[in-house]
């Protein structure tokens, strides 16, 4: 390696891989991954979040898992916790919805109301 | 050199910038105690006896290594300094075998002197002490680790100066010891017995093997014809043991004392030195004329010979096949002399007085018995002779006998200067050049090969040809010179090598001068002066003109290099492994 | 590129490795495979996190969940519960098991109070992967220095940061670099002292194991600053993991062109070599270390000349220790102002301590200078076990001294420690409780010094031995009037006369305990009592006649038959002349009737 640019390249590339060990200042996306969640398809949802965030170079967003939240019928459930601590719960998630949450909620700060637990409960 | 001003105990001195505090203090006439320090050889600040206070410094500093700087203020006698020195000395003494009464160095011990100087009256710190076995297996050197104070002068000498490196500091902490590897005996390692370690040991941890009892026994035996032969360097140094200034020749005092001790004859090894020049000179001429192995390297120094056998086996063929003068003399005494005097050679006992400890080893070599008898029976060092004289209570100022005995008493000046570095070379050149040119030399002094420079070179015009000569003294210099020859960087016809720095005058068997003297006076030059003075005043100054030598060839050997000469006066060498597998 | 949703970091430092962390790691990989999680969860071998007594430690990111004392059998549960279902395995969490919620590494008291600069990457990156180091701003400082700064600027910056040497006396690092830079010579060297030898200290080992590239980078920066193109890292051979990772780091840096010829096309050359030490304590002394690198017996020599003027093979040489170097890249990147904000007036930045002894959380901590002992012991260290009282803390190893409980609120920095008769040293900190005998502690450290003395100068070689002999005598109950004074006088003179720093500081443990606990010495000598109840020879084992039920169990178990009495016929008695004070009777007595007095 002879150039500083190459070094910068490695820095960026590796940071994408391992950034999740570092940044704790941004949004936190918590996916319910208990048996119920997994059965309802939480795994692809989680993967979708991870990939979408990567595509958009969003390093300060954490995707983590949690156990059963208790409303198994609405699984997959995803909680988005903003840096100020406020929490939005999305239910019956799919990979497509995950992409939308990233675009609207994480990037633009607009909660996808139609996907939230309040909305889901209200409709029914 | 830039000068700086230093104030020591309120005395101002101007000294060169590269001086140490110790050197500056000497300039100011202030003596700072030292123990491990030996100028140019051991400057390691280890013993902490020379501690001084330097204004503005946080801690005490070792004067022997601390560099001066302009405006420096030094205090050598503050309470803190005195207490630190005293405590350190008390600690050293607490782990020293303090059997001073039975120590060979009693009265000439630097530690003892220091204890007196610092007024050590009791030892507050007693405890565990060394209990190490005595190493007295070497024929030349006795090593007593329980007396060792770990000043490391011997290590520096053996490793750095002589490059023999058979002793070093091993183990650590309280178990630290100066020893050959694996605590072997000096006899089991490639020690060359040069004895330089002994001459700089401040205490009795290193000493020569005491052979005086063998000499006393022989002297007491009325059936024996006991002969003393003395090397040239003895007369230049023996006086120091009796309070004579360094460099005083004491030839007749010595001869007188030897007679008073009861020796039947006292002969001069210089006679054999002249014989050596005849043989070695002839060998050189022969090699020059017949394309023999060159350079020819001298073989008088048994320390050098063993060093060569261990470290430069490829040069063994370059060594002159001549025995050393001592061995030649012994062989002559037990053959020609015995025959002429009508004495049974078995009844002749030859005590060789040598400035050398390696000679004690040399006489044990199996090839040194070509007459059927050991060439030499006992070797005593200068120090041992002095002890015998003292034990017998003789007055060393007595000069009843002025000359060595006949018929082996004649010596040339050439033989005398054998004792100084370059002497053998100069003696050989005086003879070889005259033989080659057939003309007497105008001046006999070859100044280029004199002096204490480590490696000296000279080119001598001999008619058509130029003889290129080199002289090395001290084995470190010898190693350097031979490496140069080996690498093809230098080419010579003739090389003189002496194991001891300065040659025999500063041999391992010579009187011991404390570091306080050795560090500031060049004892090599001082003692050599006595020899060059004697050479200058002798009527015969060339070996081939020595009448005794001439007669020896007439009546016995025929000519130099003859078969008879070869049988008695020449020898051979064998490569030695350094650390043979057991 | 593979994207992982979780990283599991397994500590493979020396402490955790010896607790089978490698086996845990292998089991983890196996379990992930079985659950087909190997493409979602990445396993990373990392360096020491500091909480060594709880090892093996593993941390699951992104949550930062820290599991401690993980056994191979626990791995299945971690995978099936946490990694598969997102349920934290509470029983394996570090700290109080009843604590609610996620116990992230940042939330644990042990870490919360720390400020990790030197240890910034330890436990976070894979030390065997240069890319991970680069990702966390590794080699950025080197780039900055090589492309934007002149050597003099680097030294200037370092001087402004007021960084002081972390290996002992705290000499200003910038000044040291300046001396080496100003020395004129064709050849200069940069050396790193990784010959950590204080008993119980492992700060440098952890940095080398957890973040070896930080040292490589800092040494290259030093090379540029002083004009050296060659460096040596002197590391003890007893640190095999650190040696291996350092080797790997050097190889990787060479491969990337961050070491070698014409680094990053800037014309700067720098090469590094490792030299293994044989574990002699004295080789931590700078002149001894350099002598050892030269291949000779490692022994100190008097200074001057200082290594910056005449070091390796007589050439100007810069020598710093591991932790000092580890501070350099962040200082360059964040600026001296950032660094000087941390710490006290004369001691800037942080210091790593290896905390051990009578404390709940033994391990490695990095704290800002000026943190009090109380914070270290009670906030970070979790206090003293078994509700015992704190008695003193020993810092600076065999060269240091102790800080008594009365000074527990002193802010720790270079100067306060020296004022208290101790020193920073390389960062060992041993906590002692009321059961520790201070005479015995002094004896312990002196025993170490006596063993490790190089033997060159008499004050250290013989003097420390004589001090130890006196201390042995005192703790064996054979002390005499005048012994304490002898100890003091010896200590004072050894300090003044010894050749090197080690000898000069060897009496410190004795002087410092004498300063604060002289009464304990006096009790040993005059009353033949050990107030802490620790010196065996000074204790009498006695049976309380009131409590003894004369069951005879003690007499039966006593190995030397020193207990007499008849079963069921009144209390048993210990014959003091026979008693060897082994303690068996105390252990065996069912009624706790036997005690030491």
């Amino acid at each position: 390696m002879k150039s500083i640019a190459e070094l910068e390249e490695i820095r960026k590339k590796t940071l994408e891989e391992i950034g999740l060990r570092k940044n704790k200042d941004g949004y936190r996306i918590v996916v319910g991954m208990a048996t119920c969640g997994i059965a309802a398809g939480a795994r692809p949802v989680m993967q979708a979040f991870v990939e979408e965030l990567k595509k958009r170079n969003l390093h300060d967003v954490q995707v983590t898992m949690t156990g059963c939240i208790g409303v198994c019928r609405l699984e997959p459930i995803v909680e988005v916790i903003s840096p100020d601590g406020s929490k939005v719960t999305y239910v019956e998630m799919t990979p497509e919805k995950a992409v939308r949450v990233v675009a609207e909620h994480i990037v633009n700060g607009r909660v996808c109301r139609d996907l939230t637990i309040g909305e889901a409960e209200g409709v029914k | 050199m830039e000068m700086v001003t230093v104030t020591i105990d309120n005395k101002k001195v101007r000294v060169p910038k590269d001086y140490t505090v110790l050197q500056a203090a000497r300039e100011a006439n202030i003596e700072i105690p030292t123990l491990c320090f030996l100028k140019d050889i051991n400057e390691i600040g280890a013993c902490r006896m020379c501690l001084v206070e330097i204004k503005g410094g946080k801690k005490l500093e070792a004067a022997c290594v601390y560099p001066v700087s302009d405006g420096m203020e030094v205090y050598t006698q503050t309470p803190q300094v005195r207490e630190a020195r005293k405590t350190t000395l008390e600690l050293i003494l607490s782990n020293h075998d303090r059997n001073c009464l039975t120590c060979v160095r009693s009265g000439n011990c630097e530690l003892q002197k220091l204890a007196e100087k610092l007024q050590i009256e009791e030892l507050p710190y007693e405890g565990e002490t060394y209990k190490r076995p005595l190493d007295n297996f070497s024929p030349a050197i006795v090593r007593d680790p329980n007396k060792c104070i770990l000043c490391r002068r011997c290590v520096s000498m053996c490793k750095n100066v002589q490059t023999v490196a058979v002793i070093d500091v091993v183990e650590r902490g309280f178990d630290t010891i100066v020893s050959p590897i694996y605590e072997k005996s000096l006899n089991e390692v490639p020690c060359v017995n040069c004895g330089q370690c002994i001459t700089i040991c401040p205490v009795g941890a290193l000493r020569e093997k005491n052979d005086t009892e063998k000499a006393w026994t022989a002297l007491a035996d009325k059936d024996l014809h006991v002969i003393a032969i003395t090397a040239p360097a003895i007369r230049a140094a023996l006086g120091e043991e009796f309070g004579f200034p360094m460099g005083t020749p004491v030839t007749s005092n010595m001869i007188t004392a030897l007679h008073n001790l009861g020796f039947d004859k006292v002969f001069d090894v210089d006679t054999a030195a002249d014989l050596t020049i005849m043989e070695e000179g002839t060998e050189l001429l022969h090699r020059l004329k017949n394309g023999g192995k060159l350079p020819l390297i001298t073989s008088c120094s048994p320390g050098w010979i063993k060093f060569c056998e261990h470290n430069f086996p490829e040069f063994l063929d370059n060594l002159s096949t001549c025995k050393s003068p001592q061995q030649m003399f012994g062989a002559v005494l037990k053959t020609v002399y015995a025959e002429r005097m009508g004495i049974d050679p078995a009844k002749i006992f030859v005590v060789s007085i040598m400035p050398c400890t390696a000679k004690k080893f040399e006489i044990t070599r199996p090839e040194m018995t070509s007459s059927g008898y050991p060439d030499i029976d006992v070797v005593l060092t200068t120090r041992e002779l002095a002890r015998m004289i003292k034990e017998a209570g003789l007055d060393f100022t007595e000069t009843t006998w002025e000359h060595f005995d006949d018929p082996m008493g004649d010596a040339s000046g050439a033989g005398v200067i054998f004792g100084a570095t370059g002497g053998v070379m100069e003696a050989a050149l005086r003879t070889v050049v005259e033989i080659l040119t057939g003309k007497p030399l105008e001046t006999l002094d070859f100044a280029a090969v004199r002096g204490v420079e480590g490696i000296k070179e000279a080119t001598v015009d001999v008619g058509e040809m130029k003889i290129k000569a080199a002289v090395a003294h001290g084995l470190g210099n010898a190693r350097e010179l031979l490496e140069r020859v080996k690498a093809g960087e230098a080419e010579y016809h003739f090389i003189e090598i002496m194991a001891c720095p300065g040659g025999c005058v500063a041999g391992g068997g010579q009187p011991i001068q404390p570091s306080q003297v050795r560090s500031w006076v060049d004892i090599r030059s001082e003692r050599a002066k006595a020899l060059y003075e004697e050479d200058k005043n002798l009527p015969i100054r060339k070996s081939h003109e020595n009448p005794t030598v001439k007669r020896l060839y007439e009546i016995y050997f025929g000519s130099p290099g003859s078969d008879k000469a070869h049988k008695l006066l020449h020898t051979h060498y064998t490569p030695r492994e350094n650390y043979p597998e057991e | 590129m593979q994207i992982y949703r979780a990283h599991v970091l397994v500590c493979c430092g020396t402490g955790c490795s010896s607790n089978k962390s490698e086996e845990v790691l292998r089991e983890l990989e196996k379990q992930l495979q079985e659950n087909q999680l190997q493409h979602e969860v990445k396993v990373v071998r990392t360096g020491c996190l500091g909480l060594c007594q709880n090892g093996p430690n593993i941390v699951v990111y992104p949550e930062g969940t820290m599991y401690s004392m993980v056994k191979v059998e626990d791995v299945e549960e971690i995978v099936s519960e946490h990694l598969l279902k997102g349920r934290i395995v509470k029983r394996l969490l570090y700290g109080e098991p009843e604590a609610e919620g996620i116990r992230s590494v940042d939330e644990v008291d042990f870490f919360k109070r720390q400020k990790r600069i030197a240890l910034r990457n330890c436990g976070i990156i894979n030390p065997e992967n240069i890319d991970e180091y680069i990702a966390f701003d590794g080699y950025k400082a080197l780039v900055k220095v090589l492309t934007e700064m002149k050597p003099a600027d680097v030294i200037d910056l370092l001087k402004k940061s007021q960084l002081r040497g972390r290996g002992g006396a705290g000499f200003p690092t910038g000044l040291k670099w300046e001396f080496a830079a100003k020395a004129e010579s064709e050849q200069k060297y940069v050396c790193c002292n990784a010959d950590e030898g204080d008993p119980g200290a492992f700060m440098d080992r952890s940095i080398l194991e957890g973040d070896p590239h930080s040292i490589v980078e800092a040494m290259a920066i030093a090379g540029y600053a002083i004009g050296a193109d060659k460096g040596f890292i002197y590391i003890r051979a007893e640190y095999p993991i650190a040696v291996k990772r350092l080797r790997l780091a050097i190889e990787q840096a060479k491969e990337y062109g961050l070491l070698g010829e014409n680094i990053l096309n800037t014309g700067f050359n720098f090469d590094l070599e490792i030299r293994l030490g044989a574990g002699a304590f004295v080789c931590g002394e700078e002149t001894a270390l350099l002598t050892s690198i030269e291949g000779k017996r490692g022994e100190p020599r008097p200074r001057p000349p200082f290594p910056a003027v005449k070091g390796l093979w007589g050439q100007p040489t810069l020598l710093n220790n591991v932790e000092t170097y580890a501070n350099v890249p962040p200082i360059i990147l964040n600026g001296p102002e950032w660094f000087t904000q941390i710490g006290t007036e004369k001691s800037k930045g942080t210091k790593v301590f290896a905390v051990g002894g009578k404390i709940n959380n033994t391990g490695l901590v990095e704290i800002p200078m000026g943190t009090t002992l109380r914070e270290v012991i009670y906030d970070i260290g979790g206090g003293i076990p078994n509700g015992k009282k704190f008695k003193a803390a020993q810092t600076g190893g065999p060269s240091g001294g102790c800080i008594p409980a009365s000074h527990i609120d002193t802010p720790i920095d270079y100067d306060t420690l020296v004022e208290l008769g101790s020193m920073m040293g390389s960062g060992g900190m041993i906590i002692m409780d009321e059961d520790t005998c201070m005479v015995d502690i002094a004896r312990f450290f002196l025993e170490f010094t006596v063993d490790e003395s190089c033997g060159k100068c008499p004050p250290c070689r013989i003097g420390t031995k004589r001090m130890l002999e006196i201390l042995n005598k005192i703790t064996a109950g054979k002390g005499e009037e005048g012994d304490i004074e002898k100890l003091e006088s010896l200590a004072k003179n050894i300090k003044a006369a010894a050749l090197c720093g080690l000898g000069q500081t060897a009496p410190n443990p004795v002087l410092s305990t004498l300063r604060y606990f002289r009464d304990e010495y006096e009790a040993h000598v005059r009353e033949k009592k050990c107030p802490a109840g620790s010196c065996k020879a000074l204790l009498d084992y006695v049976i309380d006649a009131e409590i003894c039920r004369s069951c005879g169990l003690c007499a039966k178990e006593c190995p030397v038959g020193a207990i007499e009495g008849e079963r069921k016929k009144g209390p048993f008695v210990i014959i003091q002349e026979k008693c060897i004070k082994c303690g068996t009777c105390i252990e065996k007595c069912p009624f706790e009737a036997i005690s030491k007095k």
Side-chain angles (χ1 to χ4, degrees), chain C residues 97-114:
Chain C
E98 65 274 11
E100 282 301 313
I102 296 171
R103 294 285 290 178
S104 158
V105 273
D106 308 313
E107 290 160 37
V108 174
D109 278 337
F110 182 79
F111 293 105
K112 217 158 59 185
R113 300 282 184 141
Q114 296 192 41

Side-chain angles (χ1 to χ4, degrees), chain A residues 2 11 21 33 50 65, chain C residues 3 82 85 124 134 262:
Chain A
K2 272 292 163 225
R11 185 185 328 280
R21 288 180 226 160
M33 287 274 266
V50 171
M65 306 182 298
Chain C
I3 292 290
H82 188 154
K85 298 174 190 161
I124 295 173
I134 292 172
N262 191 16

Side-chain angles (χ1 to χ4, degrees), chain A residues 1-2 4 7 10-11 14 16-17 20-21 33-34 38 43 46 50 54 62-67, chain C residues 1 3 5 7 37 40 44 62 82-86 124 131-132 134 137-138 140 143 147 256 262:
Chain A
M1 172 166 56
K2 272 292 163 225
I4 294 154
L7 192 68
I10 292 172
R11 185 185 328 280
T14 316
E16 282 172 10
E17 283 176 41
L20 81 170
R21 288 180 226 160
M33 287 274 266
I38 293 170
R43 266 246 178 101
M46 180 161 198
V50 171
K54 195 226 137 203
Q62 262 189 49
V63 182
T64 70
M65 306 182 298
T66 186
Chain C
M1 178 179 60
I3 292 290
R5 63 172 168 87
H7 288 185
L37 286 171
E40 286 177 42
V44 183
H82 188 154
L83 295 172
L84 205 55
K85 298 174 190 161
I124 295 173
D131 289 353
E132 293 202 1
I134 292 172
D137 293 339
K140 213 172 173 177
V143 169
T147 55
Y256 273 31
N262 191 16

Side-chain angles (χ1 to χ4, degrees), chain B residues 235 268 270-271 273-274 277 409-417 427 430 534-535 538-547:
Chain B
R235 68 204 65 171
D268 193 350
D270 301 7
T271 311
D274 285 330
I277 289 300
D410 290 324
S412 74
V416 173
I417 58 171
R430 287 178 190 175
E534 187 165 328
D535 165 44
L538 277 172
I540 299 168
R541 295 183 64 196
K542 298 173 220 167
S543 298
H544 54 281
E545 291 174 1
N546 179 335

